[in-house]
Amino acid sequence: MRDLLTTQKQNCYRELIEKEVYTRLAWKVKYGQEYSRGPSLRGLKASAVPKLPAPRTVLPPVMCTQKPEGLTVAQTAETGLQPDMRPVTPLIRSTLYQGFSKEGKGRNLYLQQRSQKSPDEKFQHPVLSSWEYGWRLGELVKEVKKPVYGRSGLVKDTFYARNGIFNSPAPTDRLG
């Protein structure tokens, strides 16, 4: 988004518009009499149509610069940029280059391993405001224990027996 409105791109857009205008005028001068929409302009003198000079804009040559692949800690300190995402561990990165995604290896395995990590482990700080609600929640969830005197036994004995509903929970219905 940052580089949409640079001076270079604005000048390029301006030149494109000028070039289009000159092309339309040149076409109109050359073919206007053959393909006119309104009354014929054949009676006009050739001097009545203004001749526009050809555009003399010369664009500078395009220079391809290599972008740095990864900034080191020293370079980020110099530029003032901090990476949002923590670096990938070498073990997980090595799976990226082993095998093909079609076989369940390579990129496929790498993405599966990366998705198993929570955003707390992948990022230094919450990138989105919606992440703030659950940020570092994993540390608190480990401390939560199942209550000793839960309500499940009470509900099973009173509700199911009284209403004639048979309680046969599926294996996936278990808590914890």
Side-chain angles (χ1 to χ4, degrees), residues 6-174:
T6 61
T7 306
Q8 183 180 11
K9 292 200 178 192
Q10 287 177 349
N11 291 338
C12 180
Y13 186 65
R14 184 179 301 122
E15 289 173 6
L16 285 172
I17 291 173
E18 287 175 4
K19 187 176 181 181
E20 183 179 341
V21 168
Y22 286 130
T23 305
R24 286 174 182 256
L25 284 174
W27 186 93
K28 183 73 172 171
V29 168
K30 189 173 183 181
Y31 300 107
Q33 294 174 353
E34 296 174 24
Y35 301 102
S36 64
R37 288 192 210 170
S40 176
L41 300 175
R42 293 177 196 243
L44 291 178
K45 295 180 183 178
S47 62
V49 179
K51 299 245 179 186
L52 296 175
R56 296 183 186 183
T57 56
V58 178
L59 296 176
V62 177
M63 302 290 286
C64 294
T65 58
Q66 288 184 335
K67 294 182 181 179
E69 292 182 17
L71 294 175
T72 62
V73 176
Q75 290 172 338
T76 55
E78 292 172 2
T79 58
L81 298 174
Q82 289 187 356
D84 289 335
M85 188 176 273
R86 292 185 178 137
V88 181
T89 59
L91 180 65
I92 293 178
R93 186 184 296 268
S94 67
T95 61
L96 184 60
Y97 304 107
Q98 297 173 357
F100 299 101
S101 294
K102 190 173 184 179
E103 298 170 353
K105 298 177 185 174
R107 182 173 180 260
N108 188 3
L109 182 62
Y110 168 79
L111 291 173
Q112 284 179 1
Q113 289 177 348
R114 285 294 285 171
S115 67
Q116 288 174 358
K117 285 190 171 185
S118 66
D120 304 346
E121 297 169 358
K122 288 190 273 189
F123 292 91
Q124 306 268 353
H125 52 85
V127 177
L128 305 173
S129 61
S130 61
W131 288 7
E132 293 175 6
Y133 295 108
W135 198 254
R136 301 283 180 220
L137 189 63
E139 299 166 357
L140 298 173
V141 172
K142 292 177 183 174
E143 299 173 4
V144 176
K145 296 180 181 177
K146 191 174 177 181
V148 179
Y149 303 104
R151 291 183 37 177
S152 60
L154 177 68
V155 170
K156 189 189 304 181
D157 293 340
T158 57
F159 177 76
Y160 291 110
R162 189 176 40 189
N163 294 324
I165 300 171
F166 297 107
N167 181 24
S168 53
T172 57
D173 290 345
R174 290 186 183 176

